[in-house]
Amino acid sequence: MDNHGLADPFCKLNILPIDTVATTKRLRTKTIHKTRDPEFNEILNFYGTTETDIWNGKALHILILQDDPVDQDFLGEARFPLHELQPRQTKHYNVPLRDHYPVDNEEAAWGVCSSGRGQIQVSLSYCTRRRALTVTVHRATNLLPMDSNGFSDPFVKLCLIENVTNNHRQRVFDYSIARITAKKLVSKKITGRNSQSTTIKWKTLNPEWNEEFAFATRLTDLTKFTLYLTVWDKDFGKSNDYLGGLELSCNSKGARLRHWIDAIKFPDHRHRAWHNLTDTILPTE
């Protein structure tokens, strides 16, 4: 959901379990924007469904998701066994949404929801004693291979940027006033650079950093800022390759919005979450 408590829901439908990847019949509805009570009123046809499908224990699964180019957040699922249906008979259901029903071959059944650029795990915590937002970059998985050896040499850049308003142009957080402390969990170092970076992890698609960065700011000001994390493949003699990015703010949606809001609402607690990386080029300084 967005910061107004509204969602952009759509439905994915499939008859499961599937026999082979080639026989998947996944369909989807249109997206209904900015609502918590969507009305679709669509007729979707599963052509080729046979009596064998009905009596072999298959069921119609309806997955409700938040339409977001970065994360299609799960909102609920309903399941309808086909053996309850009769030929040429319309049956109406009014059922509560449930948790996700795990099935074999999830990727083939529902498709890939992420951008395909991998995921990153980060922790957010506002420290009232230090008066700073601390960001811990833990690890990333399934990054794109950008080098000829089949690996990448990934590192992460972080920056906190004030959101654009009518009265202020977008600007980088004032580092001359708010000192940034970047430290590894096992050792501490202080730096005054505008753009902060993790160390480089060589020849890996699943790097682990466990490095912490602190942005000195007031807690109430976090609603005005966006945290950008961008992942890069280190190259020498040419430009670094962009692997993916993540932005967290009050303008985010779904899991990214919840992660940011939790850090604001519950200071002095570490809030850890995984997020999909997007292919959108994001600011780095």
Side-chain angles (χ1 to χ4, degrees), residues 1-2 66-73 120 122 124 226-229 245-264 273-278 280 282:
M1 295 186 181
D2 61 20
Q66 160 81 5
D67 196 349
D68 189 320
V70 179
D71 285 306
Q72 293 180 350
D73 290 324
I120 189 169
V122 297
L124 303 177
T226 298
L227 176 68
Y228 293 98
L229 296 92
L246 168 68
E247 59 179 292
L248 299 170
S249 74
C250 287
N251 295 322
S252 300
K253 293 183 179 180
R256 290 169 293 127
L257 174 63
R258 289 194 298 272
H259 196 187
W260 189 252
I261 293 299
D262 283 348
I264 297 173
W274 283 96
H275 298 286
N276 291 324
L277 294 171
T278 177
T280 303
L282 301 176

Side-chain angles (χ1 to χ4, degrees), residues 165-179:
T165 66
N166 293 333
N167 299 323
H168 299 84
R169 64 181 178 85
Q170 189 174 34
R171 63 179 177 84
V172 177
F173 191 73
D174 189 349
Y175 293 100
S176 63
I177 298 175
R179 184 182 63 182

Side-chain angles (χ1 to χ4, degrees), residues 41-54:
N41 294 321
E42 293 185 53
I43 297 177
L44 303 176
N45 297 305
F46 285 90
Y47 294 104
T49 303
T50 65
E51 290 187 2
T52 302
D53 294 326
I54 295 175

Side-chain angles (χ1 to χ4, degrees), residues 130 132-137 156-159 173 175 178-199 209-216 227:
R130 298 170 63 187
L133 172 69
T134 61
V135 182
T136 305
V137 182
V156 181
K157 290 184 178 181
L158 306 89
C159 65
F173 191 73
Y175 293 100
R179 184 182 63 182
I180 292 184
T181 301
K183 71 173 184 178
K184 213 166 185 178
L185 293 182
V186 295
S187 64
K188 184 183 296 184
K189 61 182 180 180
I190 297 176
T191 175
R193 294 175 298 165
N194 285 353
S195 178
Q196 301 304 306
S197 300
T198 66
T199 56
W209 290 283
N210 290 319
E211 297 178 31
E212 185 179 280
F213 301 82
F215 297 84
L227 176 68

